[in-house]
Amino acid sequence: MISTLLLTLATLGSQAQGNGLDRIRALHASGEVVRARWMAEAAHDRDRSDYEATMLLADIHYQRPVIGRYEALRLYRHAANLEPDSLEPLYGVINVGRYLASDEGETIARNAIYKIWAVDPDYRDTWDLWQQFFIGESQYGRAIEILSRYVNRLDVRLRIASMFLDLNRFVEADSVARQIQADGHRDASLWAIRAEAAFANQDIKTGTSLLFTAIDSSAYDTTDYLFRQVATVANTTEVEEYAETRPGDRPSFWQAFWESREPDLTTPENERIYEHFSRLRKARHDFRLRHPYGRLAHDFAGESEFRVGTGASGWDIMTDDSLSRYRRLGMDGRGVTFMRYGEPRIRWKDGDREGWNYDIDGVNAWITLAIDQGDYLLRPIDIPFHRFEVGPTPGNPVFHDYDEIVETDRSSIVPDLELQFWAAQFRGDAGATSVFVRTDPEGVHARIWDAYWVVEDSTTGAGVIELESSGGSSHIGIDFRNDDNFGSVRGDLLVHAFPEGRLKLSSLLVVPGAHPDLDRNSALSLMPVDLEFSTDSAITLFTEIYFLRAHPDGRFKYDLEYRFVPVGESDEDAIVTFEYNRDRQALPTTLESVVIDPRRIRNGEYDIIIRVTDRVTGSVTLVSRVAVGLN
């Protein structure tokens, strides 16, 4: 009877305590933090062996000022002793360590993660959190020792292989990846890890082959490892596109990623790939972020606060998951810069400040950094420019825009030769568009890509060369190399389509001399690369007209208007116009040659605009133009 009564009283007491904790949680959630803390402390004092009361009080203390975090730490550790099988108290310890942010805080958090991994290597987001701390050789060694127990876990073994890469222990990384593949796994990350190891051994051919095997199988990249390899250079658009790319479309994404960075078409390999992994290897070793929690703090509401003084750059602005960009990449500002631009031409250092100088697209650019709470970050500082004579980039030195740094990356293969060229478009075979290119100097490698960087055509040759495209927004590349110089052009190109039955014009060609009966090949071969013409002799304008409508008498009837519009002038009186009425035999393609006496036109730079109006259909007007100089 007495034992039954005691059991009933204990049960009622437990229920009452549970109901009281629910009330405290409600007060806490409603913002009455002080009252909730008083009640939670009272509940904890009544029974210090109560795990739920201990955890609740720890959570409440965690949201107090700094002194509260230490009390929370003590309570989380006490809760872990009360319930050794529960990992939640250890996760609370991690949060305290993250908030404290110092080296002490990082040590507290890392040690708690190691204890969790000994039980569950996939507990919540501990893997992601661990990667956000500074990780030295000893930390890697401790993690590898713990995770090596999980010999049957693919995801854990992949982590170990990637850690060996971070340590520049490439033979071991390759060995682990090979062992996993021998067990029958074909995750794309395994090929990517082996590719990185091959590049580290300067085996470019094997590394490139392995990387493209990884790309071909990237629909099965379960850890997004391929993207993590390039996160340091991906721009905002690429980050967003990858997030939206379906697994089956990833091979196309990666082909475009690397094609858009092809620096030299005169060689069979894409040097930017090997260059990227070489930079990555050095940046991991030399420019690792040493104090990743030195600037930012977190609270339970998911909000964050700066711990920086004046001069914070956009790189300190937190992203959606409350990580600064530095911490996301694990590199300081020097690493960020090095990954995108490589070794600087000049590296100026003065105490805790540095300036890195580059030729960026022909601009004499400085990227500046300063130490902030233990790490070099991108910061605006003064540079004593008078100390340097930086060549060969002309012009005054400028500070590079920090916002542009996160959107661009460049190969160290920099052109030293200005390549002149023109491109002209004509209707090709089977509805395609022929893009003709001529350059100075001659003997180039050219390539045209569609809007998604899929190669449409490549060619090599001297004189006028031809590329074929299906039309639409495209990209064009033209490279020249000899023993002494390298010239390169990259640009966007709108390739015009010539659909059957629609009135269209080819590009307008301008050649020196009087040639009333030009054909396409002759006009292409005669048009000079610099598009400069003398007013002392005639010039001939050539174009092809497609799909004029024949009159019932079987002839084409159309009007031509050529307008020479001075570049940079708005005076309508300065425009010189030539007009013609045509009545010609109907042919599949109409060749139109007009000889112009340039003495009617004053010296200067001009846009030549041609309009064709089909008098049979009435209202159709098309425009083609080319820019020339008359002197």
Side-chain angles (χ1 to χ4, degrees), residues 20-41 52-64 69 72 76 299-301:
L21 296 181
D22 289 340
R23 185 183 177 195
I24 296 171
R25 291 188 183 97
L27 288 171
H28 185 222
S30 67
E32 296 188 49
V33 179
V34 175
R35 187 180 175 193
R37 177 165 60 87
W38 290 343
M39 295 179 64
E41 287 174 344
E52 293 293 337
T54 303
M55 284 294 294
L56 178 56
L57 182 57
D59 291 343
I60 293 173
H61 272 292
Y62 177 78
Q63 291 190 303
R64 295 180 61 211
R69 269 61 178 201
Y76 283 133
D299 64 27
F300 261 59

Side-chain angles (χ1 to χ4, degrees), residues 49-176:
S49 65
D50 188 322
Y51 170 79
E52 293 293 337
T54 303
M55 284 294 294
L56 178 56
L57 182 57
D59 291 343
I60 293 173
H61 272 292
Y62 177 78
Q63 291 190 303
R64 295 180 61 211
V66 175
I67 190 171
R69 269 61 178 201
Y70 284 101
E71 180 61 14
L73 177 63
R74 184 189 69 79
L75 290 165
Y76 283 133
R77 286 172 170 170
H78 178 56
N81 291 329
L82 293 175
E83 293 283 349
D85 293 333
S86 175
L87 300 181
E88 196 60 25
L90 291 173
Y91 194 83
V93 171
I94 295 171
N95 282 331
V96 172
R98 293 169 66 201
Y99 180 84
L100 294 176
S102 61
D103 291 344
E104 176 197 18
E106 290 190 30
T107 300
I108 289 169
R110 274 197 303 264
N111 288 338
I113 289 174
Y114 296 143
K115 291 179 181 180
I116 288 175
W117 284 355
V119 178
D120 182 359
D122 284 330
Y123 187 75
R124 295 179 66 167
D125 58 346
T126 52
W127 173 245
D128 292 332
L129 294 177
W130 183 78
Q131 294 179 93
Q132 295 167 22
F133 298 113
F134 170 73
I135 312 170
E137 189 168 342
S138 62
Q139 287 83 21
Y140 276 114
R142 179 90 179 272
I144 291 172
E145 177 186 3
I146 294 170
L147 296 177
S148 294
R149 306 169 189 172
Y150 301 95
V151 295
N152 296 320
R153 292 285 301 275
L154 170 63
D155 56 337
V156 177
R157 294 167 75 188
L158 284 174
R159 294 175 194 174
I160 293 173
S162 68
M163 283 190 277
F164 280 134
L165 286 181
D166 290 342
L167 288 167
N168 288 345
R169 291 163 59 178
F170 300 105
V171 173
E172 290 155 290
D174 182 73
S175 176
V176 172

